[in-house]
Amino acid sequence: MSLSAHHEADFQLEGPLSGRKIVVAMSGGVDSSVVAALAARTGAEVIGVTLQLYDHGAAVKRAGSCCAGQDIRDARAVAERIGIAHYVFDYESRFRESVIADFANEYMAGRTPIPCVKCNMGVKFTDLFALARDLGADCLATGHYVRRVVGADGRAQLHRAADPARDQSYFLFATTQDQLDYLRFPLGGLPKGHVREIAAQIGLPVAMKPDSQDICFVPDGDYASVVRKVRPDADAGGDIVDVEGRVLGQHKGLIHYTVGQRKGLELGGLPEPLYVVKLDAASRRVIVGPKRALAVGAALLADINWLGGDFAGACMAKVRSLAKPVSAKLEGDRLLFENPEYGVAPGQAAVLYDGDRVLGGGWIAETVSAIPDPSHIHSPA
């Protein structure tokens, strides 16, 4: 991929960029580093901003994280390499309160949280947005893989990335219209391989740096250890019951389970595999059933963020980050699935699409079983 393929239109600012100012959110990874380098080549004044979200000492050896000690040094090294100003802002306490504490509380409430969305809603966009404005920037550019398309009305629309394997639109559904008008996503039309090629051509020190993991503050995928630090009562046990309320065993804390989970139940001698169907935080019960008990016909959405225009109700809905969009219809705050959907969990998001355009989305507050009375599910003879 030649650098000549990238021009001023990538940042969607009118006129010559020589008199413009672009703030780039730099996490220390290859994606945001390439965005900063491309911005610098436009002739605009470019400022790299990194938010420090962890204790420097504790984070420096954490592999696969972002916004930690080593990542901050990487961002600074890239800024020096391409000749732009770079600032680090300490947002550790804000991140701990708005993202990590929320993550723990959601698990304790029997929901499946998405901290990446909460981070984008708060620290990454709301706070960084304000910083960029204070610095007098014409736009805030990030390394997210989504596309910003200007509609006929002059307002920005959010579209899926050209590379479906890298698309991050699910995590950005809560972006507001005002934020979207100000944000820029120069990598949305590129495959990841081309981005690494650009980094190598420029000679960026992070060209071959591995991608960060989805949940940056969870070392080794051990969610329970993170929740315990915030909520010491996280290991309170309780009953594992079937959909008819019969006790089948005991568990060691709701934080070890999510809706749709099969492994780790430690229930032997049963006629068919059982899955986690629901987590009842009030009674500390893990409710299990056969796979057909996971079928969901509808979901009630809360805090819906709308980015689309005219809407007839029919849409495609994505209820997990790695799930394929399915046909659905939104009626008020009720999302009706054309066919039963599996693994839909309260706490997750339902993101709505019209083709590649993100219409908006909301948080799944409650699910409605596709089976009228799940307690009447019986194993086949």
Side-chain angles (χ1 to χ4, degrees), residues 240-243 258-263 265 267 270 272-278 286-294:
I240 299 178
V241 304
D242 65 15
V243 291
T258 57
V259 171
Q261 179 177 331
R262 176 183 171 186
K263 295 182 179 180
L265 293 176
L267 300 173
L270 297 170
E272 63 180 320
L274 296 181
Y275 300 78
V276 176
V277 175
K278 183 179 180 181
V286 174
I287 302 169
V288 299
K291 186 175 182 179
R292 55 192 175 279
L294 287 169

Side-chain angles (χ1 to χ4, degrees), residues 192-268:
K192 181 60 175 261
H194 287 183
V195 173
R196 289 200 183 276
E197 288 177 16
I198 294 169
Q201 288 178 33
I202 299 172
L204 299 183
V206 296
M208 299 310 296
K209 183 176 181 178
D211 292 335
S212 62
Q213 63 186 41
D214 284 345
I215 301 181
C216 59
F217 60 87
V218 180
D220 303 319
D222 187 358
Y223 302 159
S225 66
V226 174
V227 177
R228 284 191 201 98
K229 292 177 182 178
V230 180
R231 295 287 299 270
D233 56 336
D235 285 318
D239 294 331
I240 299 178
V241 304
D242 65 15
V243 291
E244 295 180 355
R246 294 174 297 200
V247 177
L248 302 180
Q250 301 294 308
H251 67 80
K252 298 179 180 179
L254 294 179
I255 59 171
H256 300 287
Y257 305 91
T258 57
V259 171
Q261 179 177 331
R262 176 183 171 186
K263 295 182 179 180
L265 293 176
E266 299 180 356
L267 300 173

